Amino acid sequence: MENDPINQHYATLLGLGSEWRVTKVDLNVLGRRLDIFLEYATDAAICPVCGKLGSVYDQQPERVWRHLDTMQFETLIHAKTPRVRCADHKVKVIELPWASKSSHFTLLFEAFAIDVLKAARSIKDARHLLRLSWWQAQEIMKAAVERGLARREAEEITFVGLDEKSFLKGMKSDAFACIMTDIDNHRVLDVARGRTEKGAETLINKALNPFQQFMVCGVAMDMSAPFEKAVHKLLPCADVVFDKYHIEAHLNEGVDNTRKSENKVLLARDDKRLVDSKYLWLKGFEHLSDEAIAHRNDLLKCALDTGKAWSLKELFGWFWKSRDKYWAKANFTFWYEQVMKSGLKHMIKVANTLKDHLYGLLAWFDTRINNALTEGFNTTIQALKATAKGYRNFENFRTVILFYCGKLDMRPDFVRVGSTIG
């Protein structure tokens, strides 16, 4: 009923132009559902490509869109979408004023859902509040990320970080994702699959256009040969800066491997001094109790190889405190000589690795960048994986990372050229 006041009321609430009218409103009180039926009321429509007016060619089968709830009632919009005949572009589906192409949700609902998903404690909690399935929530996030990436401006980016994150079980390359972060702007730029040189190249080309690639001055990363090759190939002006936290991890590995080897020898003599002492050597003073520090000090007095390895690890800390890279090189040379004199094979292995990559360590003194930002994002990503009980599909994994960590402008654009006849 065209002149029904209820129909006119909902047409006004939906903000429809004169070319659309509400033909029926069906309220299901028991089902807590409200269905609004729309009809295209004119013979002319606007071409979504060129914006010219043309005649309506036909109408597609009826579709349904989820809208914002009316009071406590789930609200659905029903309509047949017209196709317009354009002199230049033949037959095209018109642009709807309330929803984007192929979406199952209205623009207003998408905007609300994005806000809820970002504010909720977890995706599961947001889905419960919105009454959405996992696939529906993923559809909204995917569309939001695509909008955000399309709107992202290609501004100059000076420093980036490269790191890897597992998303499947196993150690194969495809079980990992490589992530690029914008260090200055605290955001994830993009994510690509694999931790190979090809994967890193794909990531760089997705995240940065050729101009941006030329302007990057430094890349913080671990000592990954594939990543380094990709950086040298595509980021010609960038210094490779090996992340100090990954350096610390290598040093800790050398200490722990020394402890394991020595503990086996001691246990063979029924000497249990190093049993359960792993974290005494790997944690800093600030993370140990007074009792644990005293225990470590007692072990240091025993002149064990593990204590010597720990002392060498602590000695390396002076490298980062150097005034500049020239002092740092001198400090490294002194430290390297002490490691060689110690005869500790696991520490010697670490020292040789660091010596081979010294240029990337010294580059830190020119850029002062590290991958702490990426490590922080890893905490968020791990939480997202846990609440989703893991991801099997890489694109879904990429979508959720960019949704929460990309700092994207993802809300729908409510001004839609070609959706109304002015």
Side-chain angles (χ1 to χ4, degrees):
M1 296 172 59
E2 185 175 348
N3 296 321
D4 189 309
I6 295 295
N7 292 351
Q8 291 179 352
H9 171 72
Y10 278 100
T12 302
L13 290 179
L14 292 172
L16 300 175
S18 58
E19 68 274 19
W20 288 97
R21 66 184 177 209
V22 176
T23 59
K24 184 173 69 169
V25 177
D26 186 7
L27 178 63
N28 183 344
V29 177
L30 293 178
R32 292 188 176 184
R33 170 168 163 164
L34 179 69
D35 291 271
I36 304 173
F37 294 83
L38 307 181
E39 181 181 81
Y40 197 74
T42 69
D43 296 328
I46 294 174
C47 174
V49 180
C50 63
K52 294 180 181 179
L53 197 64
S55 60
V56 172
Y57 178 74
D58 63 6
Q59 292 187 340
Q60 294 186 314
E62 183 181 283
R63 291 178 56 197
V64 183
W65 296 265
R66 170 85 180 273
H67 190 45
L68 293 174
D69 290 357
T70 303
M71 302 300 185
Q72 72 273 30
F73 293 89
E74 180 179 350
T75 303
L76 302 172
I77 293 177
H78 301 249
K80 294 180 179 181
T81 309
R83 295 198 299 170
V84 60
R85 183 188 293 277
C86 176
D88 298 324
H89 301 101
K90 299 183 180 179
V91 177
K92 295 291 180 182
V93 178
I94 73 165
E95 189 176 72
L96 297 172
W98 63 82
S100 57
K101 184 179 180 181
S102 301
S103 175
H104 295 94
F105 307 94
T106 66
L107 298 171
L108 284 170
F109 184 86
E110 284 194 54
F112 178 66
I114 289 168
D115 290 342
V116 172
L117 282 162
K118 295 189 74 173
R121 184 175 57 182
S122 68
I123 297 176
K124 183 179 180 180
D125 289 345
R127 285 176 42 222
H128 177 73
L129 290 168
L130 295 165
R131 302 195 301 277
L132 293 173
S133 69
W134 187 91
W135 292 106
Q136 288 173 321
Q138 194 68 31
E139 178 186 335
I140 290 173
M141 287 192 288
K142 181 180 178 182
V145 167
E146 288 174 353
R147 266 194 303 270
L149 290 176
R151 291 172 179 168
R152 182 183 272 174
E153 295 183 2
E155 69 267 31
E156 180 181 333
I157 296 174
T158 307
F159 298 116
V160 300
L162 281 177
D163 203 3
E164 61 188 44
K165 182 67 179 176
S166 65
F167 82 99
L168 292 176
K169 292 182 179 180
M171 297 304 294
K172 292 183 178 180
S173 175
D174 282 351
F176 289 80
C178 50
I179 301 171
M180 177 179 283
T181 55
D182 178 356
I183 292 175
D184 290 334
N185 293 305
H186 297 84
R187 59 180 177 168
V188 172
L189 291 174
D190 217 320
V191 186
R193 187 166 187 173
R195 53 180 178 177
T196 61
E197 180 181 351
K198 183 179 179 180
E201 289 180 12
T202 299
L203 175 60
I204 293 171
N205 285 322
K206 285 172 63 175
L208 305 170
N209 66 31
F211 168 77
Q212 290 174 308
Q213 292 177 18
F214 187 79
M215 298 305 292
V216 173
C217 296
V219 182
M221 55 188 289
D222 63 10
M223 289 184 288
S224 167
F227 281 9
E228 187 176 356
K229 289 178 181 178
V231 168
H232 288 315
K233 183 176 180 179
L234 297 177
L235 306 178
C237 299
D239 288 329
V240 170
V241 183
F242 294 126
D243 180 52
K244 64 187 298 184
Y245 298 100
H246 284 95
I247 303 303
E248 295 294 331
H250 282 284
L251 291 166
N252 278 329
E253 185 180 7
V255 173
D256 197 43
N257 286 336
T258 302
R259 178 195 62 82
K260 290 176 182 178
S261 298
E262 188 172 28
N263 188 42
K264 288 181 180 179
V265 175
L266 293 176
L267 286 175
R269 302 201 297 258
D270 201 28
D271 186 337
K272 299 181 179 180
R273 280 179 291 177
L274 288 178
V275 172
D276 297 330
S277 68
K278 176 179 180 178
Y279 294 105
L280 291 178
W281 311 106
L282 301 185
K283 289 185 176 181
F285 286 97
E286 68 277 12
H287 300 300
L288 292 175
S289 64
D290 292 341
E291 182 182 358
I293 292 174
H295 184 195
R296 185 168 66 188
N297 289 338
D298 289 340
L299 290 174
L300 286 171
K301 295 174 184 177
C302 298
L304 297 169
D305 285 349
T306 302
K308 295 176 185 177
W310 177 85
S311 298
L312 289 169
K313 181 195 76 168
E314 293 297 302
L315 180 63
F316 190 84
W318 287 102
F319 174 85
W320 302 114
K321 297 176 183 178
S322 303
R323 183 172 63 191
D324 54 40
K325 65 182 180 181
Y326 303 104
W327 281 92
K329 187 174 183 180
N331 281 333
F332 181 87
T333 301
F334 173 77
W335 175 82
Y336 182 81
E337 290 173 351
Q338 301 310 306
V339 175
M340 293 299 111
K341 290 177 182 178
S342 74
L344 301 174
K345 64 177 183 179
H346 296 296
M347 294 303 293
I348 290 173
K349 180 180 178 181
V350 174
N352 285 327
T353 298
L354 298 185
K355 183 181 180 182
D356 291 340
H357 296 84
L358 183 58
Y359 59 92
L361 276 69
L362 295 175
W364 180 82
F365 293 90
D366 295 324
T367 62
R368 303 282 172 167
I369 62 173
N370 57 54
N371 251 352
L373 174 67
T374 307
E375 297 300 326
F377 281 135
N378 279 345
T379 302
T380 301
I381 294 168
Q382 189 60 38
L384 292 169
K385 282 178 58 181
T387 56
K389 297 183 179 179
Y391 284 87
R392 295 181 181 179
N393 183 288
F394 171 76
E395 288 304 321
N396 290 338
F397 187 54
R398 173 177 178 260
T399 292
V400 76
I401 292 173
L402 290 173
F403 185 88
Y404 286 99
C405 305
K407 282 191 175 181
L408 298 170
D409 176 12
M410 299 183 290
R411 287 174 63 86
D413 184 358
F414 296 102
V415 179
R416 299 172 60 74
V417 177
S419 63
T420 60
I421 299 175

